Amino acid sequence: MTTASAIPAAERGRVTQLRVIRSEWIKLRSLRSTLFTLLAAVLAMVGLGCLFSYFTSARWDQLPPQERFAFDPTLVSLRGIYLAQLAVGVLGVLVVSGEYATGMIRSSLSAVPRRLPVLWAKALVYAVVAWGLMTIASLAAFLAGQAALSGRHLNTSLGEPGVLRAVLGAGLYLTVVGLIGVAFGALIRNTAGGIATLFGLLLVLPVLAQALPSSWLDEANPYLPNTAGQGLIHVQQMPHTLAPWTGFAVFCLYALMALAGAGLALGRRDA
């Protein structure tokens, strides 16, 4: 049997991507903010989904005809995504900026001199955790919301066209939001600045775009980050938007560009 003493010291101390990933997993699950922030995201998804579905069912008779015609039971039960994205994005920023605030990043980069494996490990670990929890939360929100709508026979099922894609797409969208948060945390290295930039991209930019002439807005709107990414959660494609998976690919491109920028900055700057 091979013992630890029989393994060369250089081999035992060698830095590998797998070991960096394991280290980042330990750090992520050890942070108290991880538990509380992800719990807030799950509660937002499920709780708001239930509330919106219940109140829609209760007010159905008072809704104008145009709102009834455009009613999407799947989207109503996933309304919590708009608040959950803030929690997921904030934690993504904190995954990196928190280490800069405490000075722990110096230890991380000293242990991994090539630096980039640290960023890839942080992004991978957080993406897997966010995807798993947010997909479960999306499914729970959908099931609870449809139960609330079933009293008026307004509910739908996962077997209907586009519904399963919308439910699973909510988890994918939130995962990419988290990755953008990780990228901004590494790029800006400041929690407040990273969060402000993330909120500006997801919340402020769409509002500013409304000031454009309507012809320009129709051309630009499909490529805005939130419009492109959230196309997955709409069962029916909205006007002036890209096809769901095409839009999600554009949204992923935003995340890849942000991560690439973060990687370049991490390699060139001092810790």
Side-chain angles (χ1 to χ4, degrees):
M1 182 176 66
T2 302
T3 62
S5 59
I7 302 174
E11 181 68 20
R12 293 201 304 270
R14 189 164 62 91
V15 176
T16 65
Q17 185 68 67
L18 184 59
R19 288 177 176 176
V20 178
I21 291 172
R22 186 181 300 117
S23 173
E24 293 302 327
W25 163 242
I26 293 172
K27 284 192 283 187
L28 182 65
R29 64 185 174 86
S30 300
L31 292 174
R32 189 175 301 176
S33 59
T34 300
L35 173 63
F36 291 144
T37 309
L38 290 178
L39 180 61
V42 171
L43 290 177
M45 280 294 296
V46 180
L48 290 180
C50 289
L51 285 176
F52 275 102
S53 299
Y54 172 78
F55 287 126
T56 299
S57 179
R59 295 177 54 250
W60 183 253
D61 291 337
Q62 287 75 47
L63 291 180
Q66 61 269 26
E67 289 191 28
R68 295 192 192 187
F69 179 76
F71 175 67
D72 181 351
T74 304
L75 183 61
V76 169
S77 63
L78 297 177
R79 285 289 187 185
I81 195 174
Y82 300 106
L83 185 57
Q85 68 177 341
L86 304 184
V88 172
V90 166
L91 184 57
V93 173
L94 286 170
V95 164
V96 184
S97 66
E99 289 200 31
Y100 280 101
T102 61
M104 186 183 293
I105 192 67
R106 296 187 181 91
S107 300
S108 298
L109 298 182
S110 296
V112 189
R114 291 194 305 169
R115 297 189 172 195
L116 286 182
V118 175
L119 178 61
W120 308 147
K122 288 181 181 295
L124 177 63
V125 169
Y126 187 55
V128 171
V129 171
W131 174 79
L133 284 178
M134 292 302 100
T135 299
I136 293 172
S138 300
L139 181 59
F142 173 80
L143 295 176
Q146 300 314 303
L149 292 169
S150 62
R152 288 297 192 98
H153 304 290
L154 302 173
N155 56 306
T156 186
S157 69
L158 290 172
E160 293 296 320
V163 174
L164 182 61
R165 182 254 299 157
V167 175
L168 297 181
L172 291 172
Y173 170 78
L174 291 171
T175 301
V176 178
V177 169
L179 286 175
I180 294 175
V182 171
F184 285 163
L187 192 59
I188 300 173
R189 303 192 297 180
N190 177 272
T191 300
I195 293 173
T197 305
L198 179 69
F199 285 7
L201 181 70
L202 296 179
L203 304 179
V204 179
L205 184 60
V207 175
L208 294 178
Q210 298 300 317
L212 295 173
S214 58
S215 59
W216 293 11
L217 179 61
D218 290 344
E219 294 293 328
N221 187 59
Y223 300 95
L224 295 178
N226 63 331
T227 304
Q230 291 173 13
L232 278 183
I233 68 173
H234 292 272
V235 174
Q236 301 294 331
Q237 185 176 344
M238 303 297 290
H240 306 296
T241 61
L242 301 172
W245 290 110
T246 303
F248 183 68
V250 170
F251 190 49
C252 289
L253 184 60
Y254 278 101
L256 289 174
M257 290 190 297
L259 286 169
L264 288 174
L266 185 63
R268 294 179 177 180
R269 295 185 302 203
D270 294 332

Short mmCIF file of all heavy atoms in Angstrom, two decimals, residues 109-154:
data_model
loop_
_atom_site.label_atom_id
_atom_site.label_comp_id
_atom_site.label_asym_id
_atom_site.label_seq_id
_atom_site.Cartn_x
_atom_site.Cartn_y
_atom_site.Cartn_z
N LEU A 109 -3.55 33.67 -3.71
CA LEU A 109 -2.70 33.84 -4.88
C LEU A 109 -1.26 33.42 -4.62
O LEU A 109 -0.54 33.07 -5.56
CB LEU A 109 -2.75 35.30 -5.36
CG LEU A 109 -4.14 35.80 -5.80
CD1 LEU A 109 -4.05 37.24 -6.30
CD2 LEU A 109 -4.72 34.90 -6.88
N SER A 110 -0.85 33.45 -3.36
CA SER A 110 0.48 32.95 -3.03
C SER A 110 0.52 31.43 -3.18
O SER A 110 1.53 30.86 -3.62
CB SER A 110 0.86 33.35 -1.60
OG SER A 110 0.95 34.75 -1.49
N ALA A 111 -0.56 30.78 -2.79
CA ALA A 111 -0.62 29.32 -2.91
C ALA A 111 -0.76 28.87 -4.36
O ALA A 111 -0.34 27.77 -4.72
CB ALA A 111 -1.78 28.78 -2.07
N VAL A 112 -1.37 29.74 -5.18
CA VAL A 112 -1.57 29.41 -6.61
C VAL A 112 -0.98 30.55 -7.42
O VAL A 112 -1.69 31.46 -7.87
CB VAL A 112 -3.07 29.23 -6.94
CG1 VAL A 112 -3.24 28.69 -8.36
CG2 VAL A 112 -3.75 28.33 -5.94
N PRO A 113 0.32 30.55 -7.63
CA PRO A 113 0.99 31.69 -8.27
C PRO A 113 0.48 32.01 -9.68
O PRO A 113 0.55 33.15 -10.12
CB PRO A 113 2.46 31.26 -8.31
CG PRO A 113 2.58 30.22 -7.24
CD PRO A 113 1.27 29.52 -7.22
N ARG A 114 -0.04 31.01 -10.38
CA ARG A 114 -0.52 31.27 -11.75
C ARG A 114 -1.82 32.06 -11.76
O ARG A 114 -2.25 32.56 -12.80
CB ARG A 114 -0.69 29.96 -12.51
CG ARG A 114 0.63 29.29 -12.83
CD ARG A 114 0.44 28.20 -13.86
NE ARG A 114 -0.57 27.23 -13.45
CZ ARG A 114 -1.08 26.31 -14.24
NH1 ARG A 114 -0.68 26.23 -15.50
NH2 ARG A 114 -1.98 25.45 -13.79
N ARG A 115 -2.50 32.13 -10.63
CA ARG A 115 -3.65 32.99 -10.39
C ARG A 115 -4.94 32.57 -11.10
O ARG A 115 -5.98 32.47 -10.47
CB ARG A 115 -3.34 34.45 -10.75
CG ARG A 115 -2.25 35.07 -9.89
CD ARG A 115 -2.13 36.55 -10.13
NE ARG A 115 -1.21 37.15 -9.18
CZ ARG A 115 -1.11 38.43 -8.95
NH1 ARG A 115 -1.89 39.28 -9.62
NH2 ARG A 115 -0.26 38.91 -8.07
N LEU A 116 -4.88 32.37 -12.40
CA LEU A 116 -6.12 32.09 -13.14
C LEU A 116 -6.86 30.86 -12.62
O LEU A 116 -8.10 30.85 -12.61
CB LEU A 116 -5.83 31.95 -14.63
CG LEU A 116 -5.54 33.25 -15.37
CD1 LEU A 116 -5.32 32.99 -16.85
CD2 LEU A 116 -6.67 34.25 -15.17
N PRO A 117 -6.17 29.78 -12.19
CA PRO A 117 -6.91 28.65 -11.63
C PRO A 117 -7.80 29.02 -10.44
O PRO A 117 -8.83 28.39 -10.22
CB PRO A 117 -5.80 27.67 -11.21
CG PRO A 117 -4.69 27.96 -12.16
CD PRO A 117 -4.74 29.44 -12.37
N VAL A 118 -7.40 30.06 -9.70
CA VAL A 118 -8.23 30.51 -8.58
C VAL A 118 -9.55 31.06 -9.09
O VAL A 118 -10.63 30.74 -8.57
CB VAL A 118 -7.49 31.57 -7.74
CG1 VAL A 118 -8.40 32.14 -6.66
CG2 VAL A 118 -6.23 30.98 -7.11
N LEU A 119 -9.49 31.91 -10.12
CA LEU A 119 -10.71 32.49 -10.68
C LEU A 119 -11.60 31.42 -11.28
O LEU A 119 -12.82 31.41 -11.05
CB LEU A 119 -10.35 33.53 -11.74
CG LEU A 119 -11.53 34.19 -12.46
CD1 LEU A 119 -12.41 34.95 -11.46
CD2 LEU A 119 -11.03 35.14 -13.55
N TRP A 120 -11.01 30.50 -12.06
CA TRP A 120 -11.82 29.45 -12.67
C TRP A 120 -12.45 28.56 -11.60
O TRP A 120 -13.61 28.14 -11.75
CB TRP A 120 -10.99 28.59 -13.62
CG TRP A 120 -10.21 29.33 -14.65
CD1 TRP A 120 -8.99 28.99 -15.17
CD2 TRP A 120 -10.58 30.55 -15.34
NE1 TRP A 120 -8.59 29.90 -16.11
CE2 TRP A 120 -9.54 30.87 -16.24
CE3 TRP A 120 -11.69 31.40 -15.28
CZ2 TRP A 120 -9.57 31.99 -17.07
CZ3 TRP A 120 -11.72 32.51 -16.08
CH2 TRP A 120 -10.68 32.81 -16.97
N ALA A 121 -11.73 28.27 -10.53
CA ALA A 121 -12.27 27.43 -9.46
C ALA A 121 -13.43 28.13 -8.76
O ALA A 121 -14.46 27.52 -8.48
CB ALA A 121 -11.17 27.08 -8.46
N LYS A 122 -13.26 29.42 -8.45
CA LYS A 122 -14.34 30.17 -7.81
C LYS A 122 -15.59 30.18 -8.69
O LYS A 122 -16.71 29.97 -8.21
CB LYS A 122 -13.89 31.60 -7.53
CG LYS A 122 -12.88 31.75 -6.39
CD LYS A 122 -12.51 33.20 -6.19
CE LYS A 122 -11.50 33.37 -5.08
NZ LYS A 122 -12.03 32.98 -3.76
N ALA A 123 -15.38 30.44 -10.00
CA ALA A 123 -16.52 30.50 -10.91
C ALA A 123 -17.20 29.14 -11.03
O ALA A 123 -18.44 29.05 -10.99
CB ALA A 123 -16.05 30.97 -12.29
N LEU A 124 -16.42 28.07 -11.14
CA LEU A 124 -16.99 26.73 -11.30
C LEU A 124 -17.76 26.30 -10.06
O LEU A 124 -18.90 25.82 -10.15
CB LEU A 124 -15.89 25.73 -11.62
CG LEU A 124 -16.34 24.27 -11.74
CD1 LEU A 124 -17.32 24.10 -12.90
CD2 LEU A 124 -15.13 23.34 -11.93
N VAL A 125 -17.14 26.46 -8.89
CA VAL A 125 -17.79 26.03 -7.65
C VAL A 125 -19.09 26.80 -7.43
O VAL A 125 -20.14 26.21 -7.11
CB VAL A 125 -16.83 26.22 -6.46
CG1 VAL A 125 -17.58 26.05 -5.13
CG2 VAL A 125 -15.68 25.23 -6.54
N TYR A 126 -19.04 28.11 -7.62
CA TYR A 126 -20.25 28.90 -7.38
C TYR A 126 -21.32 28.59 -8.42
O TYR A 126 -22.52 28.54 -8.10
CB TYR A 126 -19.93 30.39 -7.39
CG TYR A 126 -21.12 31.23 -6.98
CD1 TYR A 126 -21.78 30.99 -5.78
CD2 TYR A 126 -21.60 32.23 -7.81
CE1 TYR A 126 -22.88 31.75 -5.41
CE2 TYR A 126 -22.70 32.99 -7.45
CZ TYR A 126 -23.34 32.74 -6.25
OH TYR A 126 -24.44 33.47 -5.89
N ALA A 127 -20.92 28.36 -9.66
CA ALA A 127 -21.89 28.04 -10.71
C ALA A 127 -22.62 26.73 -10.40
O ALA A 127 -23.84 26.64 -10.56
CB ALA A 127 -21.20 27.95 -12.07
N VAL A 128 -21.88 25.72 -9.96
CA VAL A 128 -22.50 24.43 -9.65
C VAL A 128 -23.47 24.56 -8.48
O VAL A 128 -24.60 24.05 -8.53
CB VAL A 128 -21.42 23.37 -9.35
CG1 VAL A 128 -22.05 22.10 -8.81
CG2 VAL A 128 -20.61 23.07 -10.61
N VAL A 129 -23.05 25.27 -7.43
CA VAL A 129 -23.92 25.45 -6.26
C VAL A 129 -25.16 26.25 -6.63
O VAL A 129 -26.30 25.89 -6.27
CB VAL A 129 -23.14 26.15 -5.13
CG1 VAL A 129 -24.08 26.55 -3.99
CG2 VAL A 129 -22.04 25.23 -4.59
N ALA A 130 -24.96 27.36 -7.34
CA ALA A 130 -26.09 28.21 -7.71
C ALA A 130 -27.05 27.47 -8.64
O ALA A 130 -28.28 27.54 -8.46
CB ALA A 130 -25.59 29.49 -8.39
N TRP A 131 -26.52 26.75 -9.61
CA TRP A 131 -27.38 26.02 -10.54
C TRP A 131 -28.21 24.97 -9.81
O TRP A 131 -29.43 24.86 -10.04
CB TRP A 131 -26.55 25.36 -11.63
CG TRP A 131 -27.38 24.49 -12.53
CD1 TRP A 131 -28.19 24.89 -13.54
CD2 TRP A 131 -27.51 23.06 -12.45
NE1 TRP A 131 -28.81 23.80 -14.11
CE2 TRP A 131 -28.42 22.67 -13.46
CE3 TRP A 131 -26.95 22.10 -11.62
CZ2 TRP A 131 -28.77 21.35 -13.66
CZ3 TRP A 131 -27.30 20.77 -11.81
CH2 TRP A 131 -28.20 20.41 -12.82
N GLY A 132 -27.58 24.21 -8.94
CA GLY A 132 -28.31 23.16 -8.24
C GLY A 132 -29.43 23.72 -7.37
O GLY A 132 -30.59 23.29 -7.47
N LEU A 133 -29.11 24.71 -6.55
CA LEU A 133 -30.12 25.25 -5.63
C LEU A 133 -31.21 26.03 -6.37
O LEU A 133 -32.39 25.90 -6.05
CB LEU A 133 -29.45 26.16 -4.61
CG LEU A 133 -28.68 25.47 -3.49
CD1 LEU A 133 -28.02 26.50 -2.57
CD2 LEU A 133 -29.60 24.57 -2.67
N MET A 134 -30.82 26.81 -7.35
CA MET A 134 -31.81 27.64 -8.05
C MET A 134 -32.71 26.80 -8.96
O MET A 134 -33.87 27.14 -9.17
CB MET A 134 -31.12 28.73 -8.84
CG MET A 134 -30.44 29.79 -7.99
SD MET A 134 -31.56 30.61 -6.83
CE MET A 134 -31.20 29.74 -5.29
N THR A 135 -32.20 25.71 -9.49
CA THR A 135 -33.06 24.82 -10.27
C THR A 135 -34.09 24.15 -9.38
O THR A 135 -35.27 24.06 -9.73
CB THR A 135 -32.21 23.76 -11.00
OG1 THR A 135 -31.30 24.42 -11.89
CG2 THR A 135 -33.09 22.83 -11.81
N ILE A 136 -33.66 23.70 -8.21
CA ILE A 136 -34.60 23.12 -7.24
C ILE A 136 -35.63 24.16 -6.81
O ILE A 136 -36.83 23.87 -6.72
CB ILE A 136 -33.83 22.55 -6.03
CG1 ILE A 136 -32.98 21.36 -6.45
CG2 ILE A 136 -34.80 22.15 -4.92
CD1 ILE A 136 -32.05 20.86 -5.37
N ALA A 137 -35.16 25.38 -6.53
CA ALA A 137 -36.07 26.45 -6.11
C ALA A 137 -37.06 26.79 -7.21
O ALA A 137 -38.25 27.05 -6.94
CB ALA A 137 -35.27 27.69 -5.71
N SER A 138 -36.61 26.80 -8.46
CA SER A 138 -37.51 27.09 -9.59
C SER A 138 -38.59 26.03 -9.72
O SER A 138 -39.76 26.34 -9.95
CB SER A 138 -36.69 27.18 -10.89
OG SER A 138 -35.73 28.18 -10.82
N LEU A 139 -38.18 24.78 -9.57
CA LEU A 139 -39.15 23.69 -9.66
C LEU A 139 -40.16 23.77 -8.51
O LEU A 139 -41.37 23.60 -8.72
CB LEU A 139 -38.43 22.34 -9.63
CG LEU A 139 -39.30 21.09 -9.74
CD1 LEU A 139 -40.10 21.11 -11.04
CD2 LEU A 139 -38.44 19.83 -9.66
N ALA A 140 -39.67 24.08 -7.30
CA ALA A 140 -40.56 24.20 -6.15
C ALA A 140 -41.51 25.38 -6.33
O ALA A 140 -42.71 25.28 -6.01
CB ALA A 140 -39.74 24.38 -4.87
N ALA A 141 -41.00 26.49 -6.84
CA ALA A 141 -41.85 27.66 -7.08
C ALA A 141 -42.93 27.35 -8.11
O ALA A 141 -44.09 27.76 -7.96
CB ALA A 141 -40.99 28.84 -7.54
N PHE A 142 -42.55 26.64 -9.16
CA PHE A 142 -43.52 26.28 -10.19
C PHE A 142 -44.62 25.38 -9.63
O PHE A 142 -45.81 25.64 -9.84
CB PHE A 142 -42.82 25.58 -11.35
CG PHE A 142 -43.75 25.02 -12.38
CD1 PHE A 142 -44.31 25.84 -13.34
CD2 PHE A 142 -44.09 23.67 -12.38
CE1 PHE A 142 -45.19 25.34 -14.29
CE2 PHE A 142 -44.96 23.16 -13.32
CZ PHE A 142 -45.52 24.00 -14.27
N LEU A 143 -44.23 24.35 -8.91
CA LEU A 143 -45.22 23.41 -8.37
C LEU A 143 -46.14 24.09 -7.37
O LEU A 143 -47.37 23.89 -7.38
CB LEU A 143 -44.51 22.22 -7.73
CG LEU A 143 -43.71 21.33 -8.70
CD1 LEU A 143 -42.98 20.23 -7.93
CD2 LEU A 143 -44.62 20.71 -9.75
N ALA A 144 -45.56 24.91 -6.49
CA ALA A 144 -46.38 25.61 -5.51
C ALA A 144 -47.29 26.62 -6.19
O ALA A 144 -48.47 26.78 -5.81
CB ALA A 144 -45.49 26.30 -4.47
N GLY A 145 -46.77 27.32 -7.18
CA GLY A 145 -47.58 28.30 -7.89
C GLY A 145 -48.74 27.67 -8.64
O GLY A 145 -49.86 28.19 -8.63
N GLN A 146 -48.47 26.55 -9.29
CA GLN A 146 -49.54 25.87 -10.03
C GLN A 146 -50.61 25.32 -9.09
O GLN A 146 -51.79 25.29 -9.43
CB GLN A 146 -48.97 24.76 -10.91
CG GLN A 146 -47.97 25.23 -11.94
CD GLN A 146 -48.43 26.47 -12.69
OE1 GLN A 146 -49.51 26.48 -13.30
NE2 GLN A 146 -47.63 27.52 -12.63
N ALA A 147 -50.20 24.92 -7.89
CA ALA A 147 -51.18 24.46 -6.90
C ALA A 147 -52.10 25.61 -6.50
O ALA A 147 -53.31 25.42 -6.32
CB ALA A 147 -50.46 23.91 -5.68
N ALA A 148 -51.52 26.83 -6.37
CA ALA A 148 -52.34 27.99 -6.01
C ALA A 148 -53.28 28.39 -7.15
O ALA A 148 -54.37 28.90 -6.90
CB ALA A 148 -51.42 29.16 -5.64
N LEU A 149 -52.86 28.16 -8.39
CA LEU A 149 -53.69 28.52 -9.54
C LEU A 149 -54.73 27.46 -9.88
O LEU A 149 -55.67 27.74 -10.63
CB LEU A 149 -52.79 28.74 -10.77
CG LEU A 149 -51.85 29.95 -10.73
CD1 LEU A 149 -50.85 29.87 -11.89
CD2 LEU A 149 -52.64 31.25 -10.79
N SER A 150 -54.55 26.27 -9.35
CA SER A 150 -55.42 25.17 -9.74
C SER A 150 -56.86 25.36 -9.28
O SER A 150 -57.78 24.79 -9.87
CB SER A 150 -54.88 23.84 -9.19
OG SER A 150 -54.85 23.86 -7.77
N GLY A 151 -57.08 26.17 -8.23
CA GLY A 151 -58.44 26.39 -7.76
C GLY A 151 -59.31 27.04 -8.81
O GLY A 151 -60.53 26.83 -8.84
N ARG A 152 -58.71 27.84 -9.69
CA ARG A 152 -59.45 28.48 -10.79
C ARG A 152 -59.18 27.77 -12.13
O ARG A 152 -59.54 28.30 -13.17
CB ARG A 152 -59.02 29.95 -10.90
CG ARG A 152 -59.53 30.84 -9.78
CD ARG A 152 -61.03 30.92 -9.79
NE ARG A 152 -61.53 31.95 -8.93
CZ ARG A 152 -61.91 33.16 -9.31
NH1 ARG A 152 -61.85 33.47 -10.61
NH2 ARG A 152 -62.35 34.05 -8.46
N HIS A 153 -58.52 26.63 -12.06
CA HIS A 153 -58.17 25.87 -13.26
C HIS A 153 -57.32 26.71 -14.22
O HIS A 153 -57.49 26.64 -15.45
CB HIS A 153 -59.44 25.37 -13.96
CG HIS A 153 -60.32 24.54 -13.07
ND1 HIS A 153 -59.98 23.27 -12.64
CD2 HIS A 153 -61.54 24.82 -12.49
CE1 HIS A 153 -60.95 22.78 -11.87
NE2 HIS A 153 -61.90 23.71 -11.75
N LEU A 154 -56.42 27.48 -13.65
CA LEU A 154 -55.53 28.32 -14.45
C LEU A 154 -54.14 27.71 -14.57
O LEU A 154 -53.26 28.28 -15.21
CB LEU A 154 -55.39 29.71 -13.80
CG LEU A 154 -56.69 30.50 -13.61
CD1 LEU A 154 -56.41 31.76 -12.79
CD2 LEU A 154 -57.28 30.87 -14.97
#
